[in-house]
Amino acid sequence: MAFYSGARRWVGLAILLGVAELAMVVPVPILIRSLFDDAIRNGRVRQVVETVLLLAGLRLLTTASGLYLRRLSLATTKLAVQRMRSALLEKMYSVPHAWLQRTDHAALHTTIVQETERVDMMSNSLVALLIPSALTTAALAVILFLLSPRLFLIVAASAPVLYAVHRILAGRLRIRTDRFRSAFESFSAGVMFVLRTMDLTRASAAEGSELARQRAFTTELRESSSRMAWLQSAYGGIQTLVISLVMLVVLAVGGVEVSRGETSLGQLASFYVAAVLFAGAMNTFWTALPTVVAGNRSLANIDELLYVEGTSPYSGETRFTFAGGVQLAGVHFGYDDVPLLRGVDLAIEPGQIVSLHGPNGAGKTTIVHLLLGWQRPQSGALLADGRPYESLYLADLLANVGLLPQDPVIFAGTIAENVSYGSRPVSTEVMADVIRIAGADELVGALSAGMETRIGEDGQTISGGERQRIALARALVHEPALLIMDEPTNHLDASDFSAILRRIRERSPFMSILIISHDQSVIDEADAVYRLDNGTVSRRLTSRRTPSSTGEQTVALVK
């Protein structure tokens, strides 16, 4: 209902239209009775024509009203579902980074894409079909009772049977819907795996085994989808069968009453027409119900995702202009009660080049995540230009941080789109400059389409070093105050990196730079070097920086 905010009046109008459409149905049985018992019996041709024309007019009005109701319901429900989808996407940017890392992305994709589509179908069925048909059924039940209490009892006798069928099949439908959802998640994950690991599969000559594995997923999806669809059809078919049999009984009993003179042909015809309308409304109700059952299950999954505990680690509101100075002060951090960092102190001054090295798994990438505000330490503090992260509007910090991760993201698009990606527009001249600084100008110059060349998903049409250079150009394009580079020489030679670093310094002499690397030649480029090991850090100054009065020495920063 929260997603219908601002559109509830339209929902109310849709319900009123449903009632108005119902009101147009009420005169039909009366007109039918008059047609048979008066106009036809007494040979009044004009009255017959007028009655038929009036019935046709009512039919036209109900059709027009139904079409407008459908359009109105689509407009309101589609808007609500759009808001739901937007909320889910916004949620992905607010959930804890660690939660997102350990969650199955295929399942998330299924919830955001397929489950919202089911809720969309459910909403339309609910507003356009289920609620109007329920109101119509209730009103026609009253009309049937007034027309013939005895025949109405025959119709009413079907209600327990229909309810019993619903109770039996609805529970099974929920189970089959869950199995279909699980099979769809497996299929979705399998497709993502195939696309991501295509080169690995081909290089391993594993196409046959991989196709066999994926075939098992598609088989399970086919079977679960068929079972769910068949049960939905059986659900509606059985309900329709019960209603049809009841209508035949009504016709038989009513026919006997007419033959005995206990009721008139007009009375039977009017009751039968009302009963047909009643059966149609009931059939619409029971046909729409499985969609609502399946959608309600999807809605529960969406609700669970929307209320994942935890938001952004920081929620400060102080705006500031970041100058590039950051500091970890006595930071303790761990995963699932397993300590990783113990009292870490690390400082990067504006304009300073700092390197961080240490064994694999020591927590170097965790420090980067802490600096970016993606995670928050259990104790200790992080400062940006001397201000605690807790008080700051962190977007001001991140807008002035450039990140070159160890495995950079290159998406399917052009070189220009990859380099300029971000919240601020970028001129062609600036893009050309950062491409030159990153050493990707030779690549761009050799391509016929230049910066407009499409490089495929994950940059599959270019080399690892070229991917690294494009990602570095993207990190530089917004002129960050702080540049973080994680293992930049994984795909670049040390000499190439030194030249790149020199060009960065020439363009932005006051940019702070943090380099995470095992390469000694890269480490030696720094003004200060930190080593992370066993959860603690040590620091030394290099010859690139004037030593303090105490001389160049290792300084333990952990008490």
Side-chain angles (χ1 to χ4, degrees):
M1 289 306 297
F3 295 118
Y4 276 94
S5 177
R8 294 176 188 172
R9 56 179 179 163
W10 299 111
V11 176
L13 179 58
I15 294 173
L16 286 176
L17 280 175
V19 173
E21 187 177 346
L22 169 63
M24 286 182 265
V25 172
V26 172
V28 172
I30 300 172
L31 290 171
I32 292 293
R33 181 174 179 176
S34 172
L35 179 66
F36 277 87
D37 285 349
D38 187 12
I40 294 176
R41 174 178 291 183
N42 296 314
R44 297 173 182 172
V45 177
R46 182 176 179 178
Q47 184 179 349
V48 170
V49 174
E50 289 176 347
T51 303
V52 170
L53 289 175
L54 185 56
L55 288 169
L58 287 173
R59 184 58 183 169
L60 286 172
L61 284 174
T62 54
T63 301
S65 174
L67 288 174
Y68 185 73
L69 171 61
R70 180 63 173 161
R71 183 176 180 180
L72 190 61
S73 65
L74 282 171
T76 53
T77 57
K78 294 292 184 183
L79 177 60
V81 172
Q82 178 193 355
R83 289 171 173 172
M84 175 181 289
R85 286 168 173 157
S86 297
L88 286 167
L89 292 174
E90 289 173 11
K91 186 68 177 182
M92 293 301 96
Y93 288 105
S94 66
V95 295
H97 186 262
W99 180 88
L100 201 56
Q101 284 181 312
R102 64 174 178 262
T103 301
D104 184 354
H105 286 193
L108 289 177
H109 180 270
T110 298
T111 299
I112 295 172
V113 176
Q114 191 196 18
E115 303 281 30
T116 55
E117 182 63 20
R118 287 187 176 279
V119 170
D120 188 0
M121 294 169 61
M122 177 195 74
S123 301
N124 280 299
S125 294
L126 194 63
V127 175
L129 300 175
L130 201 70
I131 293 177
S133 63
L135 292 172
T136 303
T137 300
L140 286 171
V142 174
I143 294 173
L144 288 172
F145 178 78
L146 294 175
L147 288 172
S148 174
R150 184 163 45 189
L151 293 178
F152 171 73
L153 289 177
I154 297 174
V155 175
S158 66
V161 179
L162 294 172
Y163 181 71
V165 171
H166 166 70
R167 285 296 302 270
I168 294 170
L169 296 184
R172 295 181 181 178
L173 182 59
R174 281 192 290 269
I175 294 172
R176 294 195 178 182
T177 300
D178 286 343
R179 289 176 180 171
F180 169 74
R181 180 181 185 273
S182 176
F184 192 90
E185 284 180 6
S186 298
F187 169 69
S188 178
V191 172
M192 293 173 66
F193 180 86
V194 166
L195 296 176
R196 282 199 308 262
T197 62
M198 188 68 69
D199 290 345
L200 172 63
T201 303
R202 286 173 172 169
S204 305
E207 292 97 325
S209 59
E210 185 57 45
L211 283 173
R213 191 170 76 94
Q214 297 303 327
R215 196 175 295 114
F217 293 146
T218 57
T219 300
E220 175 59 26
L221 179 60
R222 172 182 60 82
E223 292 176 350
S224 62
S225 177
S226 297
R227 286 192 292 265
M228 181 184 70
W230 182 87
L231 188 59
Q232 287 178 333
S233 299
Y235 184 99
I238 294 173
Q239 301 286 0
T240 302
L241 175 63
V242 172
I243 294 171
S244 299
L245 292 176
V246 169
M247 293 299 297
L248 290 174
V249 173
V250 166
L251 191 60
V253 173
V256 171
E257 290 182 347
V258 171
S259 65
R260 291 176 177 176
E262 297 174 357
T263 187
S264 69
L265 184 61
Q267 287 176 315
L268 176 59
S270 64
F271 186 91
Y272 190 78
V273 168
V276 168
L277 294 172
F278 177 83
M282 286 283 287
N283 187 55
T284 299
F285 179 87
W286 293 114
T287 303
L289 201 55
T291 304
V292 175
V293 170
N296 188 53
R297 197 68 178 168
S298 296
L299 189 62
N301 295 325
I302 291 170
D303 186 67
E304 182 180 348
L305 180 56
L306 283 172
Y307 288 94
V308 169
E309 187 175 353
T311 56
S312 177
Y314 299 99
S315 57
E317 299 180 356
T318 302
R319 307 300 300 265
F320 74 113
T321 301
F322 181 52
V326 289
Q327 181 182 359
L328 280 76
V331 166
H332 289 260
F333 183 84
Y335 295 98
D336 298 326
D337 298 325
V338 177
L340 183 62
L341 305 178
R342 294 188 289 272
V344 167
D345 292 297
L346 185 150
I348 304 173
E349 299 173 11
Q352 186 182 37
I353 300 178
V354 171
S355 73
L356 175 64
H357 68 103
N360 292 332
K364 302 184 296 296
T365 301
T366 297
I367 286 180
V368 173
H369 292 172
L370 290 169
L371 288 172
L372 294 172
W374 293 352
Q375 294 170 325
R376 186 167 180 162
Q378 277 85 41
S379 63
L382 279 95
L383 308 173
D385 295 336
R387 303 178 179 89
Y389 273 36
E390 289 84 353
S391 65
L392 301 176
Y393 181 63
L394 214 59
D396 287 343
L397 168 70
L398 296 178
N400 289 283
V401 174
L403 175 65
L404 176 63
Q406 188 170 347
D407 186 20
V409 174
I410 301 294
F411 54 83
T414 66
I415 292 176
E417 288 169 342
N418 272 274
V419 171
S420 63
Y421 182 81
S423 59
R424 290 172 285 181
V426 180
S427 68
T428 303
E429 292 76 15
V430 171
M431 275 196 289
D433 191 34
V434 295
I435 285 173
R436 176 190 62 81
I437 292 171
D441 47 340
E442 290 187 12
L443 165 68
V444 174
L447 298 170
S448 58
M451 289 192 293
E452 297 306 316
T453 302
R454 304 191 71 84
I455 53 179
E457 187 70 42
D458 205 26
Q460 291 182 358
T461 62
I462 57 178
S463 68
E466 290 165 344
R467 292 172 66 250
Q468 198 91 354
R469 293 175 190 274
I470 290 172
L472 177 58
R474 179 170 59 208
L476 294 171
V477 77
H478 295 303
E479 301 183 7
L482 170 64
L483 174 64
I484 300 174
M485 294 186 282
D486 192 354
E487 298 292 353
T489 55
N490 272 1
H491 298 285
L492 298 173
D493 294 336
S495 58
D496 288 340
F497 178 74
S498 295
I500 289 171
L501 197 60
R502 183 171 61 254
R503 290 194 291 268
I504 293 174
R505 267 286 174 253
E506 290 171 355
R507 180 176 185 261
S508 306
F510 300 108
M511 180 187 295
S512 306
I513 301 175
L514 172 62
I515 306 171
I516 298 173
S517 179
H518 292 91
D519 192 322
Q520 188 59 50
S521 62
V522 173
I523 293 172
D524 291 340
E525 296 279 357
D527 302 318
V529 178
Y530 288 86
R531 175 173 175 78
L532 177 61
D533 197 3
N534 293 322
T536 62
V537 297
S538 58
R539 176 180 182 264
R540 67 178 175 85
L541 301 177
T542 69
S543 57
R544 291 173 54 85
R545 185 177 179 89
T546 303
S548 64
S549 58
T550 58
E552 183 175 337
Q553 58 183 330
T554 299
V555 182
L557 295 180
V558 183
K559 298 179 181 179

